[in-house]
Amino acid sequence: MSFAVQTPQRPLPGAFLQTPAISKYQPGPIGQPIFRTDASSLVHNNGPANPSQQQPQQSTAVTPKSGPESLRPIERAAKTINETLVQEARYPELDSYVGQGISSDYDVTNFPAWAPFQKVRMYDIPDKIFEQYNRAQVSTHMGLFAELNHAWVTMDNALYLWDYTNPSPDLIGVEEQPHNITTVKLVVPRAGVFVPSITHLLVVATTADVFLIGVATQGAAGGSVTVSLYQTRMSIPTRNLDINVIEGSASTGRIFFSGKHDDDVYEFTYQQEEKWFQNRCNRVNHTSKGYSSITPSFSFSKRPQQEQTIQIVSDDTRRLLYTLSSRSTIRTFHMKPNGGLDLVITKTLGQIFGNVGHMVSRTDLIAPGMVIVSISPISAREASKLHLMATTSTGCRMFLSATSSYGWSAGDSSSAPSSMQVQHIKFPPPDLAANAPQQQSSTQMTNYQGNSGINTSSKALKPTRTAQRFAPGYFFCFAPKDPQAVTDTLFISAPDSGRIARPQDASQLTRYHEYGMWLGLGSRAEDIGLVSPSFSAASLPLGFGNELAVQYDKPVTEVAILTNTGVHTIRRRRLVDVFAAAIRSGGGDEGLEGEIRKFIRLYGRGETSATALAVACGQGQDITSDSRVAKVIDPEVLEYARKSFIEFGGKPLLNENSVVDQTMPAIDMVRPSPRHEGLALYVARLVRSFWKAPIVRESQSTQGGLAVSPTISLAKLRDIQHDLSTLQEFLNTNKSFIDGLAGPDALRRASTKQEEVALQAEHRALHSLVVLISDIIEGISFVLVLFDERVEDIMLSLPNETRQQVRNLTYESLFCTGNGKDLAKELVKAIVNRNIANGSNVDTVAEALRRRCGSFCSADDVVIFKAQEQLKKASGAGSNSEFGRNLLNESLRLFRQVARNLSIEHLNWAVEQYISMEFYAGAIQLALSVAKESDRGNRALTWIQDGRPEQDSRQAVFQARKRCYDLVYLVISSVDQASSQAPEMVDGQYTLSAKRKSEAYNVIHNSDDEVFQTDLYDWYLAKGWTERLLEVVSPYIVIYLQRKSSDDVAHADLLWNYYARSNRFYDAASVQLQLAKSDFPLGLDQRIEYLSRAKANASTYTPGIGRQPRQQLLHEISDLLDVANIQDDLLQRLKEDTRITPERRPEVLKKLNGQVLGLTELYNEYADQASYFDLCILIYQAADHRNPADIKTTWQHLLEHTHKETIDRGEPQPYEAVIEKVRSLGARLHLSESTFPISDLVPMLEKYAFEYQRGVGPSTWVIDTFLDLQVPHESILPVLEGMFYNDEAPFQGRNRRYIANDMLYLIQRWFHDSGRGGGRIFGGESNALAISQTLLMLQQNGIDEDKAEECQALRMRIEQMLR
């Protein structure tokens, strides 16, 4: 088959998980300069480089918020199960994959774990049979009644039956009649002819007559069947027919037979009693009349005598009877409702050759010499078109369909087909010799429409002696391989349901995949039969063959094969059994992974997960060494299965295209993981048998009264409940390892928002199934409880309308709908009332019901009634009496016992009664208990912690709890009002009112309900009770304020105030720091205030906080405070700066009067652009920027700018402005060596004073400026010496005297300051000597004359002091 090349799909937006989402903090457009262009001359590019680079924005879609979830978990799970069951029901019908054409698709494996069948054991033929056999004189025949676990043998005139499963069976013999027996057949009797205990008939053909024996069966211990035979006195003469084949119709009870000497078809008719012109038994020949009517030109009398009927099979679903003659002619008869039998189709071998001639080229397998050895009917339930499968002597299977003039005769038993065609040929598997080198499998795949690659020459099944097909396609072919044909080799194949159900290539037609195996019998097969009921997964062709769907629901198919040495039982291996065997023999972890991946490749992850889960839950079965079928409980196998389910379960996938389209919430666009699919498959397959079934069935009893019975056996319900309980335990044990059940831990591992949404959807889906499993387990318990009672009495006690609803109630409705649970509660009430009427103890009945099916029973109603009764008694006894208080406490105990199911109406009533009796503490306890029990999962708390998102299902849970809390506030208001009207103490004793108030508030303050505490604090603040809130001593107050402080500055203020009151200064400082850094709309002055307070708090000792964290916090606060002060300086400057355009001013001021900005932004966007050089230097200091060139240049610009600005203003003197600027910066910079470099600033100021301020002001103002800043003398003098000796401009020639004068002045100040108080001059003798030499140098090198004398005098004083 060829297909046109598909046009590749164009990429869709958001189709890749790595597509970035819109950032929460969107970068704005590139900013424009704040200042006008005329200020550009003042802007310099000497600031620290901005390390951040603006990234190009990418377009992406915004994920819409999810709407409210429309489905409850139980409804979502029910929808999943229903969808799964519908999908299972869509299993392809046989006609879809066995269509027109040929095929040879087999996986013939030599690996035992993957074999489709498994030999259970062989039962030997009893010695008693051999003893009888030795006495036989004429003939013997053997056969099976597999459905009864019995075999039979005829020896001349005797018939013996025995239970082949019994190691020492008793022989059941029929020895009275004298004629040799030719064949025996077990059939189903016609309804109404025999008593109900006669379930089968033995049709025994002898050389003289055919007679019927009644068979009564009864189940025995161990699953065996006890058989009893009864004479019916029904027989007909054979008249030398030599009967060799008998067939019965199970639906009509008709019996057909044929003999060796012709191919006529006869019927053994029988009835309960003789009638006019009709005996009890009769023999009818249907074929003579049939031939004359259908083929008048053909006379039976001229038919060659050697042609005989060798096989008769019936198809009751179509009312068709098929015969196979010794000439390979297939005849089809229509069994008419009036007892007639019409021959409708004759298909000769030649006609078959004509049909297949256009389907396959010449092959030795379909050629003259080939014969048909057996036929097997295909029922209308299994296929609508295919009717019959014929097996050839070469091992080919021919599937034939019959049609009528109206089209396919698909299950319409009233119309007879008129023609038959070969639809499909399945060729044998590869030859054993050709397949020998292959260890695992041999598989050939090709399309049905062509013959390329199909093996049409395999002689693996040649010669085929006989074959049998069982639904849904089990093929047993017996091919003798030894020359004498003494022993048979058995080839068995079965459809691979997993691959048929989920083809790997959806564009191709479904292929007829089969697994095959070879089995040596060691003897010749005599008969084959089904031990188990015939397979059917559905009543229609669609879904009929789905073996996977009924793995855990129906008995495993078992086949018995009788040979001349014994009975071999062969069991179908379910996929779950194959999986268990595969991982058992997988060869360790590496081999196991290979087997798992093979399963995934063949069947997909969903089916693999379902199978692994089933094995892990103990569903796998295997044959033990003592030939027993037992569950696989090997711990290693169970562990491998568990790991497979967890590790190979896949991940949920988010359909991002749909999210981009914004058609649905993102969480609804997630496809759950294959692990979820596997869990849904497993649960659906467990419950499929009863999911849609009604619970009860009404009928008439034998006495004419009402009889009510379950539609599903209670034993089956218990088995399903056990399997579901095992599954529930598995999920509970492994939930921490399963994504979707692991809780918040799994969400924390999500690396992207897409993964987080996918995990949330996975949790929602898996949690729904977990809830459903729990509800089904409990629901089954309810059904079991119901049928433990006299259901008839209960049904009769119901109102007619309710009774009709119970009749229509299905298991699905019981488990998943509110109406179903309401009906269940009505039934429980009826059970309780019936037990009360019979004198049973109500408490005992209620407790039993609650224990077994708590959510269905109304035992809580009984408890509520008792509690209300106690409350009423307390009201009559007086609430202040001891007896009254005891009754109140007992009512509280009972109410709290059923708090989870206490309705809001009952709660309101109880609280009102408690308030009226001043039982305040009890009222609060009850309301808090109901609130807590209504939300055991604490979903309301998670909703609060998640920021209270709108349209969230958890919001409704919180509102339900809040209704309870509102009742608590009502109690608080009542107790406050009552206490305000009475004194607190009388005669030194607390009054009763004060005690009850204390009791009430103790309950409130000691409550561990965080949701309540949170709502209580909200109520306090709404009332304006801030002081009451700060006086609360509870761990929840901190949690509450911490949570609220992220959204509201007022709560953050309350938090640091609470910390400060509690002497937790470190925590208070941390909160204040976060406030200063927060996104709240705070002004810069407020942020500086927070930082100042934080600095003070961080400097205060806090018990329990180490020195290092406190110092780290203090350092962070101080740094941010420095930046904030710089920003504040900028803000104040820019407020007065006229260079800012009016349009930009509000924007600039708003940005600066908000969050503390980064130093880079402050420098690049504001300080540098505005030529605020002093602030630039402060930024250098805060940023620890140490580039000397930048710093020196900025200082130079600062001096020039200050000088120019002062000149423009006209006051004060420029040097005074410079002095003030240097002093201010020096103090704020703390004389930092990097940003206040003395070596650069002294020459800079000296040069400025010489060039711009010479003769203006004091001559020593430069030196005085530095000395006033406490700059050490010894730091200034070397700089001046360098300037003096370097002879730098402008201090050259005579101008050097200006430096010399400053040096002399500095030395004089140093001499005076160091000698003050009797200290050592200049700090030491070495410094004094060096300074003396410096003074000598100054005296000799051009100092002013008046200064020279001062220099000489000072030098003399120094030397004098050094002596």
Side-chain angles (χ1 to χ4, degrees):
M1 181 183 292
S2 62
F3 295 94
V5 178
Q6 296 182 352
T7 304
Q9 296 181 350
R10 65 182 179 86
L12 297 175
F16 302 95
L17 289 179
Q18 299 303 323
T19 303
I22 290 180
S23 173
K24 182 178 179 182
Y25 306 101
Q26 284 283 11
I30 298 176
Q32 298 178 355
I34 299 175
F35 304 97
R36 297 190 182 96
T37 55
D38 57 3
S40 60
S41 60
L42 301 176
V43 179
H44 302 275
N45 296 322
N46 300 325
N50 185 356
S52 62
Q53 298 294 328
Q54 201 157 21
Q55 299 294 331
Q57 298 184 15
Q58 299 191 25
S59 176
T60 184
V62 180
T63 302
K65 292 184 179 180
S66 299
E69 298 179 359
S70 58
L71 296 178
R72 295 183 295 115
I74 192 68
E75 294 171 339
R76 180 174 290 104
K79 180 182 177 184
T80 300
I81 296 301
N82 284 319
E83 290 174 349
T84 303
L85 291 175
V86 169
Q87 179 63 35
E88 295 269 83
R90 293 197 187 110
Y91 181 88
E93 57 181 299
L94 185 64
D95 301 311
S96 67
Y97 56 88
V98 185
Q100 184 74 33
I102 62 175
S103 65
S104 63
D105 299 328
Y106 294 93
D107 282 344
V108 182
T109 178
N110 294 324
F111 187 32
W114 285 83
F117 287 85
Q118 191 174 20
K119 184 175 180 180
V120 180
R121 65 179 303 168
M122 189 188 83
Y123 299 97
D124 294 331
I125 296 177
D127 293 338
K128 297 177 183 179
I129 296 298
F130 288 111
E131 293 173 4
Q132 297 293 333
Y133 177 79
N134 293 332
R135 302 172 187 171
Q137 297 178 358
V138 179
S139 65
T140 60
H141 302 280
M142 300 179 68
L144 275 175
F145 303 144
E147 59 267 45
L148 303 181
N149 291 335
H150 276 63
W152 60 268
V153 62
T154 64
M155 300 173 186
D156 298 337
N157 65 326
L159 168 65
Y160 299 101
L161 284 72
W162 75 94
D163 183 355
Y164 60 79
T165 63
N166 191 332
S168 302
D170 295 328
L171 294 184
I172 304 173
V174 179
E175 302 171 324
E176 294 82 3
Q177 63 89 29
H179 308 290
N180 287 338
I181 298 174
T182 58
T183 188
V184 178
K185 182 70 174 181
L186 184 72
V187 299
V188 177
R190 180 176 296 162
V193 176
F194 304 98
V195 296
S197 60
I198 301 299
T199 57
H200 297 80
L201 291 178
L202 275 183
V203 185
V204 182
T206 70
T207 55
D209 59 1
V210 182
F211 59 90
L212 304 181
I213 299 176
V215 179
T217 59
Q218 186 176 359
S224 61
V225 178
T226 301
V227 171
S228 302
L229 303 183
Y230 297 92
Q231 287 288 349
T232 65
R233 302 186 185 280
M234 292 183 177
S235 64
I236 57 173
T238 60
R239 299 175 185 174
N240 299 321
L241 284 180
D242 198 5
I243 299 172
N244 66 330
V245 56
I246 304 173
E247 176 66 7
S249 169
S251 64
T252 63
R254 299 175 69 178
I255 302 171
F256 304 97
F257 59 90
S258 184
K260 291 183 178 180
H261 303 303
D262 56 33
D263 58 357
D264 289 343
V265 176
Y266 299 86
E267 182 177 358
F268 187 139
T269 65
Y270 58 98
Q271 58 188 13
Q272 190 173 15
E273 57 186 18
E274 293 186 2
K275 297 180 181 179
W276 287 100
F277 308 107
Q278 192 173 8
N279 297 326
R280 287 187 69 198
C281 304
N282 202 1
R283 184 185 73 170
V284 179
N285 186 339
H286 290 286
T287 52
S288 297
K289 181 179 179 181
Y291 272 90
S292 62
S293 62
I294 301 298
T295 56
S297 62
F298 186 78
S299 173
F300 269 86
S301 61
K302 297 180 180 179
R303 212 177 306 140
Q305 292 295 323
Q306 63 269 24
E307 184 176 16
Q308 65 183 45
T309 301
I310 62 174
Q311 188 180 4
I312 303 176
V313 295
S314 66
D315 179 3
D316 289 327
T317 60
R318 295 187 174 94
R319 292 186 178 273
L320 296 179
L321 189 76
Y322 306 99
T323 67
L324 174 66
S325 76
S326 55
R327 291 186 175 181
S328 298
T329 297
I330 300 173
R331 293 182 175 87
T332 305
F333 297 86
H334 181 227
M335 295 184 287
K336 302 178 74 173
N338 60 3
L341 186 71
D342 292 345
L343 175 63
V344 292
I345 302 172
T346 300
K347 193 75 174 179
T348 65
L349 184 60
Q351 291 172 335
I352 292 175
F353 281 149
N355 288 161
V356 303
H358 69 280
M359 298 172 61
V360 60
S361 58
R362 180 174 178 80
T363 171
D364 293 340
L365 300 183
I366 304 177
M370 177 211 78
V371 297
I372 296 177
V373 297
S374 70
I375 56 175
S376 299
I378 300 174
S379 72
R381 297 173 59 192
E382 187 175 359
S384 56
K385 297 180 181 180
L386 297 177
H387 284 56
L388 193 69
M389 187 196 81
T391 306
T392 69
S393 57
T394 56
C396 295
R397 283 177 277 169
M398 296 182 179
F399 293 86
L400 297 95
S401 63
T403 59
S404 65
S405 56
Y406 303 103
W408 300 104
S409 58
D412 183 5
S413 59
S414 62
S415 63
S418 57
S419 64
M420 181 174 284
Q421 300 292 329
V422 177
Q423 287 289 319
H424 188 87
I425 302 174
K426 188 70 178 274
F427 284 91
D431 292 340
L432 286 172
N435 196 41
Q438 301 184 20
Q439 296 299 319
Q440 294 298 324
S441 64
S442 174
T443 306
Q444 293 124 15
M445 301 290 185
T446 186
N447 297 328
Y448 293 153
Q449 283 70 14
N451 58 8
S452 174
I454 297 179
N455 187 351
T456 62
S457 59
S458 171
K459 298 180 180 179
L461 298 180
K462 186 177 180 180
T464 293
R465 186 172 62 82
T466 185
Q468 181 68 44
R469 179 189 186 274
F470 300 109
Y474 307 141
F475 178 56
F476 292 78
C477 183
F478 300 91
K481 292 301 181 181
D482 60 311
Q484 292 77 25
V486 175
T487 62
D488 286 329
T489 298
L490 174 60
F491 174 75
I492 316 174
S493 67
D496 190 352
S497 301
R499 281 194 284 175
I500 292 173
R502 295 172 178 82
Q504 296 178 355
D505 188 353
S507 63
Q508 299 284 335
L509 293 176
T510 304
R511 308 187 64 85
Y512 188 10
H513 295 285
E514 285 189 297
Y515 268 109
M517 62 176 290
W518 295 92
L519 186 64
L521 296 177
S523 54
R524 180 182 173 88
E526 299 293 339
D527 198 3
I528 183 172
L530 270 178
V531 177
S532 57
S534 181
F535 177 90
S536 67
S539 58
L540 296 174
L542 190 65
F544 177 90
N546 193 352
E547 293 184 85
L548 302 181
V550 295
Q551 289 183 90
Y552 325 113
D553 181 47
K554 293 195 173 183
V556 180
T557 299
E558 189 170 320
V559 176
I561 300 173
L562 175 66
T563 69
N564 51 19
T565 58
V567 179
H568 302 260
T569 54
I570 298 174
R571 182 178 180 272
R572 172 67 164 141
R573 300 183 73 187
R574 306 167 301 168
L575 188 63
V576 66
D577 304 329
V578 173
F579 187 93
I583 61 176
R584 170 182 284 176
S585 55
D589 291 339
E590 184 177 353
L592 168 66
E593 184 171 346
E595 293 297 320
I596 300 303
R597 296 197 181 280
K598 180 178 179 181
F599 262 89
I600 294 174
R601 184 178 69 254
L602 293 177
Y603 308 118
R605 287 190 182 272
E607 189 63 56
T608 302
S609 296
T611 308
L613 178 61
V615 173
C617 292
Q619 290 286 0
Q621 295 180 351
D622 204 355
I623 307 301
T624 62
S625 57
D626 57 350
S627 300
R628 290 184 302 104
V629 178
K631 288 193 174 184
V632 178
I633 57 174
D634 184 350
E636 187 174 2
V637 173
L638 300 184
E639 175 61 18
Y640 279 160
R642 184 192 72 86
K643 290 173 59 179
S644 301
F645 176 74
I646 294 173
E647 297 176 6
F648 293 90
K651 295 182 178 180
L653 294 177
L654 174 63
N655 185 349
E656 297 193 34
N657 292 337
S658 298
V659 175
V660 169
D661 295 339
Q662 300 185 6
T663 56
M664 294 180 69
I667 194 171
D668 291 333
M669 288 294 98
V670 175
R671 178 183 179 182
S673 68
R675 184 185 299 108
H676 169 266
E677 179 188 352
L679 177 59
L681 276 172
Y682 182 53
V683 175
R685 289 167 181 174
L686 288 177
V687 303
R688 69 184 302 274
S689 62
F690 66 71
W691 186 251
K692 297 291 185 181
I695 295 175
V696 300
R697 179 194 297 116
E698 289 189 359
S699 60
Q700 189 174 5
S701 66
T702 55
Q703 292 79 21
L706 176 66
V708 181
S709 60
T711 57
I712 306 297
S713 71
L714 300 183
K716 186 175 183 66
L717 289 177
R718 291 188 183 95
D719 291 341
I720 295 172
Q721 186 184 44
H722 174 268
D723 292 338
L724 288 171
S725 298
T726 304
L727 172 61
Q728 184 183 49
E729 181 181 356
F730 173 86
L731 295 175
N732 286 336
T733 303
N734 296 279
K735 63 182 179 181
S736 59
F737 306 106
I738 300 173
D739 287 344
L741 293 180
D745 292 339
L747 288 178
R748 283 195 286 269
R749 294 194 294 268
S751 57
T752 64
K753 181 63 177 177
Q754 291 92 333
E755 288 185 19
E756 183 178 343
V757 172
L759 280 174
Q760 289 173 348
E762 178 80 353
H763 169 75
R764 186 177 71 171
L766 286 177
H767 173 69
S768 299
L769 289 176
V770 170
V771 171
L772 176 63
I773 292 168
S774 177
D775 283 4
I776 294 176
I777 293 172
E778 194 170 22
I780 293 176
S781 294
F782 166 73
V783 175
L784 296 176
V785 168
L786 178 64
F787 284 99
D788 283 345
E789 303 287 333
R790 281 191 52 84
V791 190
E792 293 81 4
D793 294 347
I794 294 172
M795 291 291 287
L796 291 173
S797 68
L798 297 174
N800 290 334
E801 182 180 356
T802 305
R803 181 176 171 184
Q804 183 58 43
Q805 291 176 345
V806 172
R807 289 194 198 102
N808 299 330
L809 180 63
T810 64
Y811 283 92
E812 178 191 6
S813 299
L814 175 67
F815 302 146
C816 306
T817 66
N819 182 56
K821 293 187 182 295
D822 291 341
L823 284 175
K825 291 181 179 180
E826 291 297 323
L827 289 169
V828 171
K829 287 181 181 178
I831 292 174
V832 173
N833 291 334
R834 179 179 175 275
N835 281 272
I836 291 174
N838 292 336
S840 300
N841 184 279
V842 177
D843 290 334
T844 303
V845 175
E847 179 61 24
L849 290 169
R850 188 196 63 79
R851 186 177 63 254
R852 295 183 64 178
C853 47
S855 64
F856 290 96
C857 74
S858 58
D860 290 346
D861 295 336
V862 179
V863 177
I864 292 172
F865 173 77
K866 288 186 175 182
Q868 291 173 333
E869 186 179 26
Q870 299 295 315
L871 193 51
K872 291 176 182 177
K873 288 181 179 180
S875 177
S879 60
N880 292 327
S881 66
E882 182 179 357
F883 180 62
R885 301 306 284 188
N886 290 337
L887 291 173
L888 286 173
N889 285 317
E890 177 62 15
S891 69
L892 174 62
R893 184 189 70 80
L894 292 172
F895 275 132
R896 294 183 69 182
Q897 181 179 330
V898 294
R900 187 176 185 182
N901 296 315
L902 195 65
S903 66
I904 191 66
E905 292 80 11
H906 284 127
L907 179 60
N908 280 329
W909 181 85
V911 169
E912 289 174 2
Q913 295 298 315
Y914 284 152
I915 292 176
S916 66
M917 288 182 275
E918 298 183 348
F919 191 40
Y920 303 119
I924 295 172
Q925 284 180 334
L926 178 57
L928 293 181
S929 297
V930 172
K932 192 171 184 179
E933 288 296 321
S934 68
D935 181 24
R936 286 189 172 184
N938 230 359
R939 296 180 66 209
L941 179 59
T942 63
W943 179 70
I944 292 173
Q945 292 171 341
D946 291 344
R948 307 188 183 211
E950 294 293 335
Q951 297 183 344
D952 191 294
S953 62
R954 297 172 296 177
Q955 185 176 6
V957 179
F958 171 78
Q959 292 299 333
R961 295 182 71 161
K962 183 165 175 40
R963 284 193 289 271
C964 301
Y965 301 148
D966 290 340
L967 293 175
V968 175
Y969 308 146
L970 177 63
V971 177
I972 293 175
S973 300
S974 298
V975 73
D976 286 347
Q977 182 179 1
S979 63
S980 65
Q981 297 173 356
E984 183 177 1
M985 300 185 73
V986 174
D987 297 333
Q989 298 291 326
Y990 285 104
T991 62
L992 188 60
S993 176
K995 290 180 180 179
R996 288 177 178 173
K997 179 180 179 180
S998 176
E999 291 174 355
Y1001 276 97
N1002 282 338
V1003 173
I1004 292 172
H1005 294 153
N1006 293 332
S1007 172
D1008 60 355
D1009 186 347
E1010 186 175 348
V1011 180
F1012 166 66
Q1013 296 288 356
T1014 300
D1015 198 62
L1016 175 67
Y1017 304 148
D1018 284 339
W1019 187 66
Y1020 281 168
L1021 292 178
K1023 289 284 189 179
W1025 296 345
T1026 303
E1027 286 301 317
R1028 179 181 288 197
L1029 180 69
L1030 293 177
E1031 291 172 358
V1032 172
V1033 179
S1034 170
Y1036 298 114
I1037 181 63
V1038 174
I1039 298 174
Y1040 167 79
L1041 292 175
Q1042 285 176 341
R1043 186 184 300 122
K1044 290 285 189 176
S1045 63
S1046 61
D1047 301 322
D1048 182 42
V1049 66
H1051 287 87
D1053 283 334
L1054 286 174
L1055 179 59
W1056 68 257
N1057 270 292
Y1058 185 84
Y1059 281 142
R1061 288 194 180 198
S1062 305
N1063 295 327
R1064 296 170 61 177
F1065 302 108
Y1066 177 86
D1067 294 326
S1070 299
V1071 174
Q1072 289 162 338
L1073 173 61
Q1074 295 304 317
L1075 275 171
K1077 296 164 63 176
S1078 69
D1079 296 333
F1080 292 129
L1082 299 174
L1084 186 60
D1085 55 342
Q1086 290 177 281
R1087 297 177 188 272
I1088 293 175
E1089 180 183 353
Y1090 281 129
L1091 289 171
S1092 301
R1093 289 177 179 272
K1095 188 172 183 180
N1097 282 322
S1099 303
T1100 306
Y1101 172 74
T1102 302
I1105 303 298
R1107 179 183 179 86
Q1108 183 175 358
R1110 189 156 55 88
Q1111 290 297 328
Q1112 289 176 346
L1113 179 62
L1114 184 60
H1115 179 71
E1116 182 182 359
I1117 294 170
S1118 300
D1119 287 347
L1120 190 60
L1121 182 59
D1122 291 341
V1123 176
N1125 286 326
I1126 294 172
Q1127 184 171 329
D1128 187 56
D1129 291 339
L1130 272 171
L1131 177 62
Q1132 303 308 322
R1133 296 265 187 99
L1134 289 172
K1135 284 181 179 179
E1136 307 298 331
D1137 200 318
T1138 59
R1139 294 173 296 168
I1140 306 179
T1141 62
E1143 296 80 9
R1144 293 281 289 165
R1145 179 181 297 276
E1147 178 184 352
V1148 172
L1149 297 182
K1150 180 180 179 182
K1151 189 168 185 180
L1152 284 174
N1153 192 27
Q1155 284 185 294
V1156 180
L1157 305 178
L1159 290 170
T1160 301
E1161 185 175 359
L1162 291 176
Y1163 182 88
N1164 289 332
E1165 299 294 333
Y1166 302 100
D1168 190 34
Q1169 287 192 40
S1171 300
Y1172 297 152
F1173 300 110
D1174 53 343
L1175 299 183
C1176 290
I1177 295 172
L1178 291 173
I1179 292 175
Y1180 292 157
Q1181 171 74 8
D1184 199 22
H1185 183 68
R1186 296 174 178 268
N1187 190 321
D1190 291 341
I1191 295 170
K1192 183 176 181 181
T1193 303
T1194 305
W1195 272 105
Q1196 187 66 48
H1197 287 312
L1198 175 62
L1199 295 179
E1200 294 173 2
H1201 182 72
T1202 304
H1203 178 79
K1204 181 177 180 302
E1205 190 179 48
T1206 308
I1207 293 296
D1208 292 342
R1209 287 201 309 264
E1211 61 175 0
Q1213 292 292 336
Y1215 82 91
E1216 293 176 340
V1218 169
I1219 290 173
E1220 179 60 29
K1221 188 67 70 175
V1222 172
R1223 283 179 177 173
S1224 173
L1225 280 176
R1228 294 185 66 175
L1229 295 173
H1230 306 292
L1231 302 181
S1232 169
E1233 293 181 0
S1234 58
T1235 54
F1236 197 82
I1238 302 300
S1239 59
D1240 292 332
L1241 293 178
V1242 171
M1244 196 180 299
L1245 288 176
E1246 290 285 0
K1247 183 178 179 182
Y1248 170 77
F1250 179 79
E1251 293 179 347
Y1252 295 102
Q1253 299 291 292
R1254 193 184 332 171
V1256 180
S1259 61
T1260 60
W1261 67 266
V1262 174
I1263 303 301
D1264 289 336
T1265 298
F1266 286 105
L1267 292 178
D1268 291 345
L1269 287 171
Q1270 304 298 318
V1271 177
H1273 305 79
E1274 57 267 29
S1275 298
I1276 303 173
L1277 185 59
V1279 179
L1280 293 174
E1281 284 182 333
M1283 294 176 63
F1284 184 83
Y1285 288 122
N1286 291 339
D1287 200 25
E1288 296 178 356
F1291 301 108
Q1292 298 171 329
R1294 286 189 56 81
N1295 292 339
R1296 293 172 65 191
R1297 70 180 185 275
Y1298 292 100
I1299 301 301
N1301 291 338
D1302 283 348
M1303 290 175 65
L1304 176 61
Y1305 176 73
L1306 177 62
I1307 292 172
Q1308 288 174 337
R1309 287 284 303 272
W1310 193 0
F1311 177 79
H1312 177 267
D1313 294 341
S1314 61
R1316 186 186 305 160
R1320 301 174 63 186
I1321 59 172
F1322 304 114
E1325 185 177 345
S1326 58
N1327 286 345
L1329 289 173
I1331 288 173
S1332 177
Q1333 294 296 323
T1334 300
L1335 290 173
L1336 179 62
M1337 180 271 299
L1338 292 176
Q1339 185 179 352
Q1340 296 173 353
N1341 286 277
I1343 196 172
D1344 291 340
E1345 292 181 1
D1346 56 337
K1347 298 294 183 182
E1349 294 178 0
E1350 293 179 17
C1351 185
Q1352 173 68 20
L1354 179 59
R1355 190 171 66 81
M1356 295 300 294
R1357 290 185 65 185
I1358 294 171
E1359 289 179 354
Q1360 182 180 1
M1361 295 180 72
L1362 291 176
R1363 294 193 183 102

